[in-house]
């Protein structure tokens, strides 16, 4: 685990281009900015070439996609691949809506995604595993999440993060786990989207995408856990607001003290 990547990220201040959904775009922008990256958002295909050129990494979120946005995502992904910039895909609700699953699978054919981050229901759907997803929530299933994550990583030749009470990360060979976190991450809509964009920020400063993915996951989860330990009366709303502050303040020695991973 390379927690010092957090310090490198803050020095580099990478520009992260986001095709975010309208529900959580403010959380995504504020989370990136607080941590030390430079967020930029786009919904306009006519500016895609300039946007990708200035970006250090790209994050694509399917949360509220339209046909127009799908074309934008396709162009954004293809240009980023051509320019060898890391691409993170957040396949929101593909486990619950077939149209979204088909859209995600089409995007995954059109350009090489480097990291996929989703919940168990979303990742299981991409691997055609049996799982009972529920809207944007993970739902329930009995499959082995280590094996599901590993096989989806092999299928799409990328790193996969399966978020949950325990986060599972695989590049198709290695499997890592992050045990930090808080139930408030599940209660606050937007937490997963924030993590996807933060993963892109770490990928922008680390060539080893497996290391970038597991470090980003741990930094985000452990920061939330530190916050709740210090302020145990937080609810989902105040957690979301104070998490932004915590991301701005957290330091590597703080994380080292509570990091739980293997």
């Amino acid at each position: 685990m390379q927690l010092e990547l957090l310090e490198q990220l803050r020095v580099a201040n990478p520009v992260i281009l986001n095709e975010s959904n309208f529900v959580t775009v403010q959380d995504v922008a504020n989370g990136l900015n607080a941590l030390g990256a430079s967020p930029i958002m786009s919904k306009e295909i006519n500016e895609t070439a300039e946007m990708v050129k200035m970006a250090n990494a790209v994050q694509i979120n399917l949360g509220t996609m339209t046909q127009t946005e799908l074309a934008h995502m396709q162009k954004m992904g293809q240009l980023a691949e051509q320019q060898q910039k890391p691409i993170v895909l957040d396949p929101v609700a593909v486990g619950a809506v077939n149209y979204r699953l088909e859209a995600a699978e089409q995007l995954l054919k059109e350009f090489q995604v480097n990291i996929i981050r989703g919940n168990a229901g979303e990742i299981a759907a991409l691997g055609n595993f049996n799982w009972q997803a529920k809207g944007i929530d993970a739902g329930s299933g009995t499959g082995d999440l280590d094996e599901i994550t590993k096989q989806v990583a092999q299928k799409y030749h990328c790193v996969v993060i399966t978020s949950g009470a325990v986060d599972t990360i695989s590049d198709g060979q290695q499997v890592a786990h992050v045990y930090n976190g808080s139930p408030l991450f599940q209660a606050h809509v937007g937490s997963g989207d924030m993590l996807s964009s933060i993963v892109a920020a770490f990928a922008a400063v680390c060539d080893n995408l497996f290391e970038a993915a597991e470090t980003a996951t741990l930094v985000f989860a452990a920061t939330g856990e530190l916050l709740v330990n210090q302020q145990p009366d937080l609810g989902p709303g105040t957690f979301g607001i104070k998490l932004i502050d915590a991301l701005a303040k957290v330091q590597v020695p703080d994380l080292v003290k509570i990091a739980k991973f293997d």
Side-chain angles (χ1 to χ4, degrees):
M1 189 69 69
Q2 298 183 27
L3 288 174
E4 65 276 10
L5 285 174
L6 175 59
E7 296 168 346
Q8 293 179 32
L9 186 157
R10 286 171 168 161
V11 171
N13 187 224
V15 174
I16 309 304
L17 174 58
N18 297 274
E19 227 299 1
S20 291
N21 75 65
F22 62 75
V23 178
T24 62
V25 63
Q26 190 74 47
D27 282 330
V28 169
N30 280 329
L32 280 170
N33 205 44
L35 192 67
S38 178
I40 189 165
M41 277 53 184
S42 176
K43 295 288 187 186
E44 175 53 60
I45 197 168
N46 290 320
E47 66 184 12
T48 306
E50 281 185 273
M51 288 284 195
V52 173
K53 187 176 181 180
M54 77 172 70
N56 298 108
V58 168
Q59 188 264 142
I60 296 173
N61 181 299
L62 304 187
T64 54
M65 65 179 184
T66 63
Q67 282 289 340
T68 300
E69 287 187 45
L70 273 175
H72 187 210
M73 292 172 186
Q74 177 185 359
K75 184 173 181 180
M76 187 182 289
Q78 290 173 334
L79 288 172
E81 181 182 16
Q82 291 169 14
Q83 297 172 35
Q84 299 182 324
K85 297 183 178 182
I87 303 168
V88 177
L89 177 67
D90 189 331
V92 180
V94 297
V97 183
N98 283 331
Y99 173 73
R100 291 187 181 217
L101 178 58
E102 291 169 0
E105 290 175 333
Q106 186 61 36
L107 289 176
L108 286 160
K109 290 178 182 174
E110 291 169 346
F111 54 86
Q112 177 61 54
V113 168
N114 302 107
I115 302 173
I116 301 172
R117 191 221 60 85
N119 62 38
E122 293 158 352
I123 299 304
L126 289 176
N128 199 29
F129 290 93
N130 184 34
W131 201 274
Q132 289 71 54
K134 183 182 178 184
I136 63 168
D137 297 329
S140 59
T142 57
D144 181 339
L145 287 178
D146 281 12
E147 194 59 28
I148 290 172
T149 305
K150 187 176 179 179
Q151 289 194 29
V152 174
Q154 291 171 350
K155 178 178 180 179
Y156 293 108
H157 308 288
C158 66
V159 174
V160 172
I161 303 168
T162 303
S163 296
V166 175
D167 300 306
T168 305
I169 304 105
S170 179
D171 61 359
Q173 301 300 320
Q174 310 169 81
V175 177
H177 305 96
V178 171
Y179 299 97
N180 293 102
S182 162
L184 287 175
F185 278 115
Q186 282 74 50
H188 175 73
V189 174
S191 296
D193 297 355
M194 290 172 68
L195 174 56
S196 294
S197 64
I198 286 172
V199 169
F202 277 87
V205 299
C206 179
D207 292 335
N208 185 327
L209 296 177
F210 181 75
E211 289 282 358
E214 67 173 346
T215 304
T217 302
L218 191 145
V219 168
F220 190 65
T223 299
E225 183 174 320
L226 279 167
L227 172 61
V228 173
N229 289 346
Q230 294 163 359
Q231 301 183 49
D233 294 332
L234 291 176
T238 48
F239 174 73
I241 294 170
K242 290 183 179 292
L243 181 60
I244 303 297
D245 294 342
L247 287 168
K249 295 175 182 175
V250 73
Q251 300 295 324
V252 172
D254 304 326
L255 298 169
V256 169
K257 291 177 183 175
I258 68 161
K260 297 185 284 285
F261 63 95
D262 60 26

